[in-house]
Amino acid sequence: MARNLTLLTTSKEIRNFTALKGAVDSDYIEPAIITAQDLGLAYVLGYKLMTKLQTEVQSGSVSSPYDDLLETYVKPYLQHLAAAEVIDSLRIDLNNQGILEKNSNQGTSVQVNEYNSIKANLMRLSDSYKQLLIKHLCRYGNKYPEYYQDQDGRQQPSSTQQYYGIDNW
């Protein structure tokens, strides 16, 4: 079975609703969205609900009650988780010359402690939105039959799963 790479949020939405703002290129943001979906969101939604949302988004029309789930709970969590993921690629560049710290003629890179503070804040916001999503699913999970269905051996939804990297802070 092919991997579904349908994005549940866009680069533009992430720039509009997070600290990334307008200067970050979509080439950095879109891989971060995929990572956030695969390693964060899938653990909360489970395989079948995640696939249902991706199918609805891909069709261009998200039906009720999935539209509220997506807009009110999934997107804010996913946007902040992806923003936290993307800032690593903004700080360093991996290329044939090695690992280089990025710097421009227009400014200087922030110090490591400032960078860590920014990343920790994005992770904190992401975790807060994740908790809202989990509480919604716990209370209204019956609206989304895919949430309780057998996941056919794939990712099970979990209200206790912490997103990747949180223990490293």
Side-chain angles (χ1 to χ4, degrees), residues 5-151:
L5 295 178
T6 302
L7 303 180
L8 298 179
T9 191
T10 66
S11 297
K12 182 179 179 183
E13 288 173 326
I14 289 176
R15 285 190 295 267
N16 287 342
F17 300 119
T18 71
L20 292 186
K21 302 300 177 209
V24 180
D25 192 340
S26 294
D27 290 345
Y28 290 104
I29 297 174
E30 289 174 3
I33 296 170
I34 293 169
T35 300
Q37 284 183 185
D38 288 351
L39 299 179
L41 185 61
Y43 284 98
V44 177
L45 298 180
Y47 172 76
K48 289 199 173 178
L49 184 52
M50 177 85 155
T51 301
K52 171 69 173 177
L53 286 174
Q54 288 176 312
T55 301
E56 295 248 332
V57 167
Q58 195 171 36
S59 76
S61 176
V62 182
S63 63
S64 182
Y66 300 97
D67 55 348
D68 181 54
L69 176 67
L70 181 66
E71 294 299 324
T72 306
Y73 300 98
V74 169
K75 282 187 176 186
Y77 168 53
L78 185 58
Q79 290 161 355
H80 286 84
L81 187 58
E85 176 67 26
V86 80
I87 65 168
D88 289 334
S89 60
L90 299 176
R91 183 165 174 80
I92 61 168
D93 187 23
L94 306 172
N95 61 39
N96 291 338
Q97 298 168 340
I99 301 172
L100 307 171
E101 183 178 16
K102 293 183 180 180
N103 204 344
S104 72
N105 295 333
Q106 299 167 337
T108 60
S109 295
V110 298
Q111 297 298 316
V112 172
N113 62 339
E114 294 167 327
Y115 163 81
N116 286 340
S117 175
I118 293 167
K119 176 130 184 185
N121 187 53
L122 285 169
M123 296 295 277
R124 181 188 58 75
L125 288 169
S126 172
D127 191 44
S128 296
Y129 283 115
K130 175 185 175 185
Q131 295 308 316
L132 291 174
L133 171 58
I134 289 169
K135 287 178 183 178
H136 177 77
L137 288 171
C138 286
R139 183 159 187 183
Y140 300 107
N142 60 336
K143 290 182 174 183
Y144 317 105
E146 301 82 5
Y147 185 65
Y148 292 113
Q149 288 176 355
D150 178 57
Q151 303 298 311

